[in-house]
Amino acid sequence: MLMRLKQGLFHQANITMLKNDTSNAITTVRTVSDLRNILKIWRNNKLTVGLVPTMGALHDGHFSLIKRSLSLSDRTIVTLFVNPKQFGSNEDFDTYPTDELSDIKALENLSVDVIFAPSTEEMYPTGNITNISIPDIGDLLEGAFRPGFFDAVATVVCKLFMISSPDFAFFGEKDYQQLLIIEKMVQDLNIPTEIVGCPIIRSKDGLALSSRNVYLSEKDRLVAPLLYKILNEILDDAKNGEELKKTLNNAKMNLLNSGFTQIDYLKICDKKYLTELNNFSFDARILGAAWIGNTRLIDNIRVN
Ligand code: PAF
């Protein structure tokens, strides 16, 4: 690994400063100091840096973020780190899908510049650490169902920003609330990184891509796209002037009658603050979280 890192540094520093290595081999970095050594060289050469934070188990949704970074930044870092702090005690940390080898292969094919895949000890050497907490918006929707989740996400993303000082960082609209929270954190803490939100990538049948979709049984996979369909029906009804409360209640009943087992929320919210709206507005976002058996799906659509 060290040799590859050195070769990478040599290449970056002395040979061409071209975008890609001649070989497809990618530099996988495990420590903060190794990453900072590479960044120092990039910075000395006035190269812009794009960061794509992920928890691995990469799919086309991630690849769209990475492609956006490759097109906007001189250098792209993809992080692979399953952040234990953002999983509740009853959640799926132990079973969260991971396949580092296949992720690395995919990232090599995309010509990403560096993978940052630290261990938990590297990210949290002292265990309990300073926590970033995002008020108000962090307590709504996902925050209400997953207490502490957004603190943990904001904290790890803030650490990744402090480690790499990226010019750009890329997040999918699939996790719309997470995107707003990162934008707020960057604004509140004067972090000089531009947050780039990227559209949701869906399967042909409408299901939003997610690493957790692998949990769905064959039968449940057929039911899952209904969440997206229902969000669109809510939008149509709302635009047609139907009463929102009635529309949302009907939508919940439809989901439950079609195989969903529990609805955490289905709401029309202000697109910036995520407060629930009583009257339809074009400044809205429609968001939902629902379970099929043991699998929790989230999705959202824009209004316009
Ligand atoms: O969206 C995710 O995959 C994670 O929440 C993130 C942003 C990588 C932080 O762990």
Side-chain angles (χ1 to χ4, degrees):
M1 207 293 289
L2 192 62
M3 205 163 109
R4 268 179 81 194
L5 175 65
K6 281 195 178 135
Q7 282 167 351
L9 284 174
F10 180 73
H11 169 77
Q12 300 292 353
N14 299 324
I15 301 185
T16 56
M17 299 312 297
L18 287 175
K19 179 120 180 66
N20 298 317
D21 240 310
T22 43
S23 76
N24 255 359
I26 198 165
T27 306
T28 301
V29 173
R30 305 277 174 192
T31 67
V32 172
S33 67
D34 280 353
L35 184 63
R36 285 200 169 134
N37 282 336
I38 293 175
L39 281 155
K40 207 182 282 171
I41 293 165
W42 291 351
R43 292 293 176 206
N44 284 343
N45 286 282
K46 308 234 173 316
L47 298 169
T48 57
V49 176
L51 182 78
V52 186
T54 83
M55 299 207 296
L58 302 178
H59 51 67
D60 282 349
H62 297 113
F63 300 148
S64 74
L65 308 181
I66 293 164
K67 285 179 189 158
R68 193 79 201 282
S69 176
L70 289 165
S71 73
L72 270 185
S73 338
D74 297 320
R75 293 289 181 267
T76 290
I77 303 170
V78 175
T79 72
L80 302 178
F81 178 61
V82 184
N83 175 29
K85 291 191 188 287
Q86 71 187 69
F87 289 78
S89 53
N90 56 348
E91 293 185 355
D92 56 345
F93 177 65
D94 291 334
T95 53
Y96 193 81
T98 49
D99 188 349
E100 194 181 274
L101 277 183
S102 110
D103 287 346
I104 291 177
K105 205 154 182 262
L107 295 172
E108 273 173 357
N109 288 336
L110 284 171
S111 300
V112 161
D113 297 285
V114 163
I115 297 171
F116 180 49
S119 64
T120 302
E121 294 70 34
E122 180 69 11
M123 286 301 279
Y124 301 115
T126 56
N128 219 1
I129 64 157
T130 305
N131 204 36
I132 305 251
S133 187
I134 313 287
D136 305 329
I137 191 171
D139 300 325
L140 303 170
L141 304 172
E142 287 301 289
F145 285 89
R146 305 180 70 188
F149 171 68
F150 285 124
D151 287 11
V153 169
T155 303
V156 78
V157 170
C158 187
K159 278 174 72 70
L160 293 171
F161 286 179
M162 294 298 122
I163 291 165
S164 61
S165 306
D167 299 279
F168 309 103
F170 300 81
F171 294 87
E173 288 183 353
K174 158 82 170 31
D175 298 297
Y176 184 73
Q177 191 174 7
Q178 170 174 281
L179 171 62
L180 293 185
I181 278 171
I182 304 295
E183 279 172 347
K184 181 162 169 52
M185 176 182 78
V186 160
Q187 191 182 26
D188 290 353
L189 300 182
N190 301 90
I191 297 175
T193 295
E194 186 181 323
I195 304 303
V196 183
C198 303
I200 299 176
I201 305 296
R202 299 181 179 281
S203 306
K204 279 205 182 94
D205 59 11
L207 178 65
L209 297 194
S210 159
S211 304
R212 288 188 167 101
N213 288 352
V214 295
Y215 297 152
L216 292 165
S217 69
E218 221 170 290
K219 189 167 142 267
D220 293 345
R221 176 62 187 78
L222 294 175
V223 175
L226 197 72
L227 181 57
Y228 177 56
K229 190 162 170 266
I230 290 279
L231 292 177
N232 281 293
E233 283 174 12
I234 294 172
L235 175 58
D236 288 344
D237 286 355
K239 274 185 180 166
N240 288 334
E242 299 282 343
E243 196 203 324
L244 294 191
K245 206 167 165 201
K246 194 169 135 222
T247 299
L248 292 168
N249 282 340
N250 286 344
K252 283 180 196 167
M253 284 314 295
N254 281 346
L255 283 177
L256 291 171
N257 289 336
S258 311
F260 278 80
T261 44
Q262 187 185 315
I263 317 297
D264 281 353
Y265 58 83
L266 209 49
K267 289 190 176 178
I268 304 185
C269 298
D270 176 86
K271 71 178 178 193
K272 200 162 168 216
Y273 302 106
L274 294 186
T275 43
E276 191 167 7
L277 298 177
N278 296 320
N279 298 306
F280 180 67
S281 142
F282 280 94
D283 283 328
R285 192 99 188 177
I286 306 177
L287 304 102
W291 293 80
I292 313 180
N294 292 328
T295 310
R296 186 172 186 271
L297 302 178
I298 61 169
D299 202 348
N300 68 86
I301 58 170
R302 63 194 302 188
V303 169
N304 59 26

